[in-house]
Amino acid sequence: MSLPEQTHQPVRAATAAFIGTTVEFYDFYTYATAAALVLGDVFFPSSNHFLSTMASFATFAVGFLARPLSGMVFGHWGDRLGRKKMLLLTMFLMGIATTGIGLLPSYERIGIWAPALLIGLRILQGIAVGGEWGGAVLMASEHAPQGRKTFFASFPQMGSPAGLILSLLSFRFVTSLDHASFVSWGWRLPFLASFVLLVIGLVIRMGVNESPEFERLKRTQQVAKSPVAEVLRTAWYPILLAAAATTIGSAGFFFTNTFMISYVTTYLGMPKSLILDCLFAVTIIQLCSQPIAALIAERVGETRFLTGAALLSMITPYPMFLLVNTQQPLALIAGISLAVVTLSAIYAVIAGFMTPAFPTRVRYSGISIAYQLCCTIAGGTTPLIGTMLAQHYKGEWMPLACFFTVLSAISLFGIVGLGRYRKGLSSEEVVGVLAN
């Protein structure tokens, strides 16, 4: 490899990770937004809107069930065959699944086959995104210059708000249609656009070299034969801590972006277009704030930064709901932004924070299992729990705010524990520190 190519590879890898995860998260958020707006009516028609919404969010949660197993499978082969191959495969699977959802006939057309096929494609989405995150993070961080891994690892994390921006733009366009057209065919257009993004993403990713750290393992013949078994045997403790640390960074987005759409339209009676416009503004703020958060964390220290962000995240849902319930657009943007900026600061830094906790030979498996375990338990269930709380405590936002605080507290526990673990303390010592 020539010197100029070596010099440009870190930036190229980080850019490709950002663009690739943008495409993946566009697909994922497109489903999440559609689940809140229309999928219940199309695939689970009922005279009770609450039941239709719950059924729609249940299919959203189903996609998360595949993610831990997918993380293990792609983690295994990513540690065995390389990060790049797995990233190309996950992007292909996600694009095919999302495009397929856009082509599905409704319940009125084919009956029970419609929700059955929807669930199948949703599971395929979960399989794809389950293997995507770990590989994208490693391609960016393992290409990064020494001392800049936290910042470079934040690039794939920016794919989440960027993908959401694209998704919100697409739905802002189709929700401008009359209701009948939107329910009949308009909602399908964002899903079908995924095929174009799939082609773009594949072309970009094919131009990036394999991770230099993985190539070094191959040259020295240190590639793990059974990386998943090895990491579960030798690093189960940091897996649990990393999963806990990631909680608010994963579940918080589905709270503020997915559940909040349903909350303000169903319980506050606000127009769909208004909340989508507000979330669009919030997401732009998030996209700008994440790289700043990563740069600050590099200067002050990751553990200190993440601890402070988690403490702030425990407080922010209370002013958020006070502002949201005014039903004023600027107040909505300010309130949701308070919560999103703090939780996205955690999300931006957490990838670079957890990566060094695992040896290179099992790193893809370790971080994938940790992240996907968290997403399954906390991310996939958050809209469901939020909807149940909102239905049970109609007119009251305090239980919802307390739920958000609990999610943040779990992250704080994991961050403190993982920080101690990285300093070389034993499992027993870490437990003792947290208990005291």
Side-chain angles (χ1 to χ4, degrees):
M1 186 190 305
S2 64
L3 184 59
E5 187 178 358
Q6 285 180 318
T7 303
H8 289 106
Q9 271 298 308
V11 174
R12 187 182 300 174
T15 304
F18 165 65
I19 294 174
T21 52
T22 296
V23 175
E24 293 269 2
F25 278 107
Y26 166 82
D27 290 354
F28 209 71
Y29 282 128
T30 292
Y31 190 96
T33 305
L37 292 176
V38 70
L39 294 187
D41 295 331
V42 175
F43 293 99
F44 305 96
S46 170
S47 58
N48 188 324
H49 180 72
F50 169 71
L51 293 179
S52 294
T53 301
M54 286 295 290
S56 179
F57 279 149
T59 64
F60 176 72
V62 162
F64 285 87
L65 297 179
R67 289 173 68 162
L69 179 59
S70 172
M72 290 184 183
V73 172
F74 283 99
H76 171 87
W77 292 113
D79 283 325
R80 290 281 298 153
L81 302 179
R83 287 70 161 118
K84 179 177 177 178
K85 292 183 178 69
M86 295 305 105
L87 287 178
L88 293 173
L89 179 57
T90 57
M91 175 166 285
F92 177 77
L93 291 177
M94 178 63 91
I96 293 301
T98 306
T99 305
I101 291 172
L103 297 172
L104 272 184
S106 66
Y107 184 90
E108 290 183 355
R109 294 281 302 278
I110 60 173
I112 194 65
W113 281 105
L117 290 171
L118 178 69
I119 291 170
L121 290 171
R122 175 63 184 154
I123 290 173
L124 186 58
Q125 272 194 327
I127 290 171
V129 81
E132 160 70 21
W133 182 85
V137 166
L138 293 187
M139 284 292 279
S141 65
E142 291 180 352
H143 273 284
Q146 191 64 32
R148 304 306 314 279
K149 291 187 180 295
T150 296
F151 179 64
F152 276 75
S154 72
F155 273 72
Q157 304 296 74
M158 288 191 292
S160 177
L164 180 56
I165 287 171
L166 291 179
S167 178
L168 289 172
L169 279 174
S170 65
F171 272 97
R172 183 65 185 90
F173 170 73
V174 296
T175 53
S176 64
L177 299 169
D178 62 87
H179 180 71
S181 298
F182 174 66
V183 173
S184 175
W185 56 268
W187 68 269
R188 299 177 182 274
L189 298 181
F191 287 89
L192 297 177
S194 174
F195 187 79
V196 177
L197 297 176
L198 165 66
V199 174
I200 295 171
L202 286 174
V203 170
I204 292 171
R205 280 195 166 168
M206 290 177 68
V208 180
N209 295 333
E210 179 57 84
S211 156
E213 294 188 29
F214 178 77
E215 292 288 2
R216 194 175 305 119
L217 285 178
K218 286 176 62 178
R219 286 196 305 270
T220 56
Q221 298 183 339
Q222 296 183 50
V223 175
K225 293 183 178 179
S226 302
V228 171
E230 182 176 328
V231 78
L232 290 175
R233 185 180 69 254
T234 62
W236 62 269
Y237 196 67
I239 286 176
L240 294 179
L241 291 173
T246 311
T247 299
I248 192 61
S250 171
F253 287 130
F254 296 113
F255 188 101
T256 56
N257 295 321
T258 304
F259 165 71
M260 193 60 74
I261 294 174
S262 176
Y263 175 76
V264 301
T265 55
T266 302
Y267 299 98
L268 300 183
M270 295 173 59
K272 296 174 182 177
S273 58
L274 176 59
I275 183 59
L276 290 177
D277 286 345
C278 291
L279 287 177
F280 179 73
V282 170
T283 308
I284 291 175
I285 294 171
Q286 177 194 342
L287 181 62
C288 295
S289 70
Q290 282 192 198
I292 297 172
L295 289 171
I296 295 173
E298 282 191 342
R299 290 182 175 273
V300 305
E302 296 164 334
T303 304
R304 181 184 300 177
F305 178 87
L306 287 169
T307 300
L311 287 169
L312 283 175
S313 191
M314 293 175 66
I315 301 169
T316 54
Y318 304 96
M320 175 180 71
F321 274 104
L322 285 172
L323 291 167
V324 166
N325 279 274
T326 66
Q327 301 189 37
Q328 298 300 313
L330 289 178
L332 258 75
I333 293 171
I336 298 174
S337 293
L338 281 174
V340 167
V341 167
T342 52
L343 71 89
S344 65
I346 298 172
Y347 184 71
V349 178
I350 201 69
F353 180 64
M354 72 164 67
T355 298
F358 301 95
T360 306
R361 57 189 272 120
V362 295
R363 188 171 288 159
Y364 200 143
S365 299
I367 67 171
S368 294
I369 293 170
Y371 183 75
Q372 303 309 335
L373 178 65
C374 166
C375 288
T376 301
I377 296 174
T381 59
T382 290
L384 279 171
I385 295 172
T387 302
M388 288 189 290
L389 288 173
Q391 180 72 10
H392 187 73
Y393 298 98
K394 288 183 178 178
E396 299 180 38
W397 56 263
M398 185 62 72
L400 296 168
C402 290
F403 175 46
F404 193 98
T405 296
V406 169
L407 295 172
S408 301
I410 294 171
S411 279
L412 177 62
F413 180 91
I415 288 164
V416 173
L418 195 60
R420 296 285 181 174
Y421 179 87
R422 284 181 50 180
K423 287 184 177 180
L425 294 180
S426 67
S427 303
E428 292 77 11
E429 288 173 318
V430 173
V431 172
V433 169
L434 292 172
N436 294 325

